[in-house]
Amino acid sequence: MSIQEESLQDMNAQDARLQEPAPELSPRVAPSEDVSGGALQDLLVLDLTRILSGPFATMTLADLGADVIKIEQPGQGDDTRQWGPPFQGEEAAYFLSVNRNKRSLAVDLKSAEGLAAVRQLALKADVLVENFRPGTAARLGLGYEELSAQNPGLVYASISGYGQTGPDALRAGYDAIAQARSGIMSVTGEADGPPVRVGVSSADLVAGMWATIGILAALHEKKRTGAGQWVDISLLDGSVSWLTYVSSGYFASGQTPKRYGSAHPTIAPYQAFATADGFVMVAVGNDRMWRSFTTALNREDLAADERFASNPSRVAHRTTLIPLLEEIMLTRTTDEWVQALDLAGVPVGPIQTVDQALKDPQVIARGMVAELQHPTVGALKMVGCPVRLTRTPASIRTAPPLLGQHTDDILSGLGFNTNRIASLREAGAVQ
């Protein structure tokens, strides 16, 4: 047995237990107390971001309990407030997707008093997140160097297209361009088709995830030293990091990775198949699974064929093997194949549309579809937070804010009296 075969078997060593009744699961650490407010409840986060990457990061922090104050331009707000249809009431579905659990302060950063108010917040904040083009925040007097001099514990996160350094640092960053430059698009799509953008804005979302991780790491280090630091995240860096085994394969072989559609470059069969009424994803991760798979197909002769006996040989002969399997898979429905392959211990799943995925019993059981009340929309459904903590769980507490919904409360907290707030509003500095 080759090392590769052994590793493929180890990868799915537990699949033989698929037919056994599922054990009753319990948290690894039992809750010792009821901690309301979330793990990050003591953090104040100043959110100077817009569109997707930054708002996704700050929403995650908010779901985990942080008080997130979102700074928006009066009269306009985050660009995504206008990105529709679809709308729910007058609210763009795009904006609603990444801005829950936040408070909105509508303030004109071009106004001296408005900018001064935001600076006051920055000097009180534990975390500041911005996704301006590099240099813009500094020109506003909201750069890391200036703020950290007065608030040395500030964790300051910048998300940009290309990072704060390098020859392209000042270029505007866009998700699709980052996907293109990172190599992600070159390995996405059918083998005989053009490069394809990932169906969601993966470069934006992965940058938001890395920003959250960087912020949490900086906060942890701050406990030891008392000092904050600058977290520098780029869409391009984040997307390149996702190349993982694809880049490793290139480094090892010198061969430029290709597109394989839904298939895997080093495992076969590991891809989508059309069925009599839809599509199913099959992942045959080792040779024992391959034999189980051929039994479920009533084609043990395929397992006996030396061309397909091991994973390396199946990969080498995939152009012969896959058409044979495609013909067989068309003979049953998706549900029939899922049932048969589950019984055989072969990893399988239906390829669901978005509406089907959001109704999946497992998705529902895990709380990944949440509902709350929005002040103008009414009942609002959204995707939940995937982070599960036993003592300080994430929570969806408040709907995405209306533009400037919390302006008065936030400014009052800074010591602005009613007359001063009214004067700022009359001058157009706040909304």
Side-chain angles (χ1 to χ4, degrees), residues 76-100:
Q76 176 182 344
D78 190 310
D79 294 355
T80 59
R81 287 186 182 273
Q82 288 78 46
W83 283 12
F87 292 92
Q88 288 188 256
E90 297 182 356
E91 305 296 323
Y94 197 120
F95 175 84
L96 294 173
S97 72
V98 286
N99 285 290
R100 63 179 177 238

Side-chain angles (χ1 to χ4, degrees), residues 290 293-304 324 328:
W290 166 244
F293 181 55
T294 58
T295 298
L297 268 56
N298 294 319
R299 288 295 305 270
E300 289 89 345
D301 60 300
L302 293 177
L324 295 174
I328 297 168

Side-chain angles (χ1 to χ4, degrees), residues 45-308:
V45 177
L46 185 58
D47 182 359
L48 296 174
T49 70
R50 63 210 185 283
I51 314 298
L52 182 56
S53 59
F56 184 66
T58 54
M59 182 180 72
T60 303
L61 298 174
D63 287 352
L64 294 171
D67 178 12
V68 176
I69 296 177
K70 182 177 179 68
I71 304 301
E72 300 190 75
Q73 179 68 24
Q76 176 182 344
D78 190 310
D79 294 355
T80 59
R81 287 186 182 273
Q82 288 78 46
W83 283 12
F87 292 92
Q88 288 188 256
E90 297 182 356
E91 305 296 323
Y94 197 120
F95 175 84
L96 294 173
S97 72
V98 286
N99 285 290
R100 63 179 177 238
N101 288 338
K102 303 178 186 180
R103 296 193 286 161
S104 173
L105 169 59
V107 57
D108 186 357
L109 295 178
K110 296 178 181 178
S111 157
E113 279 206 272
L115 181 59
V118 174
R119 278 183 55 82
Q120 278 186 253
L121 285 170
L123 297 180
K124 292 176 59 177
D126 300 288
V127 177
L128 183 151
V129 188
E130 60 90 7
N131 63 350
F132 296 118
R133 192 179 301 196
T136 301
R139 286 194 294 273
L140 291 170
L142 296 171
Y144 173 71
E145 298 295 343
E146 185 170 353
L147 294 179
S148 63
Q150 300 176 68
N151 182 3
L154 179 66
V155 172
Y156 188 109
S158 296
I159 305 172
S160 60
Y162 300 97
Q164 303 298 310
T165 59
D168 290 333
L170 297 182
R171 295 186 65 170
Y174 296 91
D175 171 86
I177 308 305
Q179 288 194 37
R181 287 191 64 173
S182 68
I184 292 290
M185 283 180 62
S186 77
V187 294
T188 305
E190 294 300 326
D192 57 353
V196 174
R197 173 184 171 274
V198 177
V200 295
S201 297
S202 64
D204 275 329
L205 294 170
V206 71
M209 293 173 70
W210 282 124
T212 303
I213 293 168
I215 289 166
L216 295 176
L219 288 168
H220 181 75
E221 194 274 341
K222 178 182 171 181
K223 289 183 177 181
R224 294 197 301 271
T225 66
Q229 58 185 300
W230 196 354
V231 180
D232 174 11
I233 302 294
S234 91
L235 273 64
L236 181 60
D237 292 350
S239 292
V240 169
S241 78
W242 267 19
L243 292 176
T244 57
Y245 63 85
V246 173
S247 61
S248 183
Y250 165 70
F251 291 139
S253 68
Q255 297 180 356
T256 301
K258 302 175 182 178
R259 289 184 291 283
Y260 286 90
S262 64
H264 196 287
T266 60
I267 309 173
Y270 194 109
Q271 66 181 75
F273 290 98
T275 67
D277 64 350
F279 294 88
V280 69
M281 186 72 191
V282 176
V284 178
N286 59 46
D287 295 338
R288 180 174 49 76
M289 262 188 227
W290 166 244
R291 292 188 290 273
S292 298
F293 181 55
T294 58
T295 298
L297 268 56
N298 294 319
R299 288 295 305 270
E300 289 89 345
D301 60 300
L302 293 177
D305 191 319
E306 63 179 13
R307 294 173 300 173
F308 312 135

Side-chain angles (χ1 to χ4, degrees), residues 318-384:
R318 79 162 74 228
T319 56
T320 301
L321 173 63
I322 298 306
L324 295 174
L325 298 178
E326 287 174 334
E327 184 177 351
I328 297 168
M329 297 299 290
L330 285 170
T331 63
R332 301 191 205 177
T333 66
T334 295
D335 285 346
E336 288 171 337
W337 280 123
V338 169
Q339 184 176 1
L341 296 179
D342 267 343
L343 189 62
V346 177
V348 62
I351 296 181
Q352 301 186 132
T353 56
V354 171
D355 60 312
Q356 291 171 330
L358 294 176
K359 296 172 185 175
D360 188 303
Q362 180 66 17
V363 172
I364 299 299
R366 293 287 290 174
M368 285 306 298
V369 176
E371 184 171 325
L372 72 169
Q373 290 296 312
H374 185 279
T376 62
V377 171
L380 175 65
K381 285 187 175 181
M382 55 180 51
V383 170

Side-chain angles (χ1 to χ4, degrees), residues 364-421:
I364 299 299
R366 293 287 290 174
M368 285 306 298
V369 176
E371 184 171 325
L372 72 169
Q373 290 296 312
H374 185 279
T376 62
V377 171
L380 175 65
K381 285 187 175 181
M382 55 180 51
V383 170
C385 180
V387 180
R388 297 288 184 268
L389 300 176
T390 57
R391 280 198 313 111
T392 54
S395 61
I396 299 176
R397 304 175 300 282
T398 61
L402 301 176
L403 178 59
Q405 181 177 340
H406 305 96
T407 294
D408 287 13
D409 288 344
I410 295 167
L411 293 180
S412 295
L414 291 174
F416 287 44
N417 61 34
T418 303
N419 290 337
R420 188 178 178 190
I421 295 172

